[in-house]
Amino acid sequence: MREFIYSRTAYLAGIDNTPPPECVDILKEFCAKVLEPVREFAGTILIASGYRCPELNRLVHGVPTSEHIWTPDRVAADLHFAMLLEEVFDWICKKSFLPFDQCILERGKVPDVETDDCIHISYTRAPRRMALLGETHNRSGYQRVPVLKPTSEVKDV
Ligand SMILES: [Zn+2]
């Protein structure tokens, strides 16, 4: 939880960024079903931004409907890796078959500053497995990326 609520912006602004306790159950599911397998693949995950209370979300210019404002039904996190984001994104979309809701390879505001880029990934109990490419805060409109389905989803005849 410490990794999900840490925010330097919140610290400097004196904001208590503790999520509502009702969000803990779905966060545990998100970790077990999505983030742990991603960590197994990538080796290391650094959470750049997990939970944002509404005040913190405003400070970091998040959209008011941001998935980072967790609810008991939806959680999200922005991730950094010690490997190429493209490689992780490709694995998540084409090979992992993980039950994520949205996975977005986001380009940061500063061109070619890779620490500003991240993978945003969210989880719900009815995951859409939607993959997108675009700029942070949807500045230029996201582009849809195909997601492969596991062959086990094909019904037996
Ligand atoms: Zn995000």
Side-chain angles (χ1 to χ4, degrees), residues 24-38:
V24 171
D25 283 350
I26 193 156
L27 179 65
K28 283 180 181 171
E29 274 183 42
F30 181 37
C31 291
K33 294 183 177 174
V34 178
L35 295 183
E36 286 297 340
V38 171

Side-chain angles (χ1 to χ4, degrees), residues 52 68 77-78 106 120:
R52 292 178 201 155
H68 290 274
D78 292 342
E106 301 203 60
H120 168 102

Side-chain angles (χ1 to χ4, degrees), residues 51-157:
Y51 175 69
R52 292 178 201 155
C53 65
E55 198 181 348
L56 173 60
N57 189 59
R58 268 193 301 278
L59 282 178
V60 300
H61 310 291
V63 292
T65 54
S66 172
E67 294 184 323
H68 290 274
I69 303 171
W70 296 350
T71 69
D73 304 309
R74 190 191 63 199
V75 287
D78 292 342
L79 312 173
H80 289 160
F81 300 93
M83 66 190 285
L84 273 179
L85 288 180
E86 283 76 3
E87 212 175 314
V88 181
F89 186 72
D90 240 51
W91 180 79
I92 292 171
C93 301
K94 296 184 179 148
K95 294 184 184 133
S96 75
F97 310 130
L98 293 174
F100 58 88
D101 188 52
Q102 287 202 100
C103 181
I104 310 172
L105 177 51
E106 301 203 60
R107 306 257 181 243
K109 281 188 200 123
V110 189
D112 301 323
V113 173
E114 58 182 85
T115 51
D116 213 27
D117 296 351
C118 69
I119 288 180
H120 168 102
I121 191 157
S122 63
Y123 176 77
T124 66
R125 292 195 176 95
R128 291 171 291 171
R129 299 182 74 234
M130 186 189 283
L132 303 159
L133 273 177
E135 296 182 310
T136 48
H137 307 312
N138 201 4
R139 297 194 307 283
S140 53
Y142 290 130
Q143 181 193 333
R144 202 66 189 262
V145 176
V147 174
L148 293 195
K149 290 184 172 150
T151 47
S152 60
E153 277 181 15
V154 178
K155 284 187 187 119
D156 287 328
V157 182

